[in-house]
Amino acid sequence: MTKTLESQPTQLTFCSYYNPSPRVQVVRITNIKNWYFERVVFPQQTLVFDAPRTAHLEIHSSEIATAIQVDCIPCRRLAVKTA
């Protein structure tokens, strides 16, 4: 379930992200005003979600007692192609 602080943007893109690492990751979208998205993605798990096309998905990898941002992917690159 996506939580927002105000109304959702009207142009949402259906996206998919796969965690190829052996570590738990926390993914976030932080570049969209009034938009909140944060999820935990376990190793080899696929996350599907709706996001504004201009959003960027931040990938944070878990380490002992810390989390390090390892990537930032534009959501347009994660868009799922539908027939």
Side-chain angles (χ1 to χ4, degrees):
M1 179 170 91
T2 301
K3 296 179 185 177
T4 60
L5 300 177
E6 290 184 9
S7 63
Q8 293 184 358
T10 56
Q11 299 292 327
L12 295 179
T13 302
F14 186 61
C15 302
S16 174
Y17 172 73
Y18 173 73
N19 177 2
S21 78
R23 292 192 159 85
V24 172
Q25 295 179 336
V26 174
V27 298
R28 295 183 185 121
I29 294 174
T30 60
N31 71 311
I32 304 297
K33 185 178 179 181
N34 298 323
W35 179 267
Y36 173 79
F37 182 86
E38 182 175 286
R39 298 290 183 275
V40 173
V41 186
F42 292 95
Q44 286 73 52
Q45 181 182 26
T46 299
L47 173 69
V48 292
F49 58 98
D50 289 317
R53 191 157 175 83
T54 57
H56 288 85
L57 188 70
E58 295 178 358
I59 314 299
H60 298 263
S61 181
S62 63
E63 299 291 333
I64 297 174
T66 188
I68 300 170
Q69 183 175 342
V70 293
D71 207 350
C72 185
I73 305 168
C75 287
R76 68 179 179 278
R77 287 187 32 213
L78 301 172
V80 175
K81 296 179 182 175
T82 57

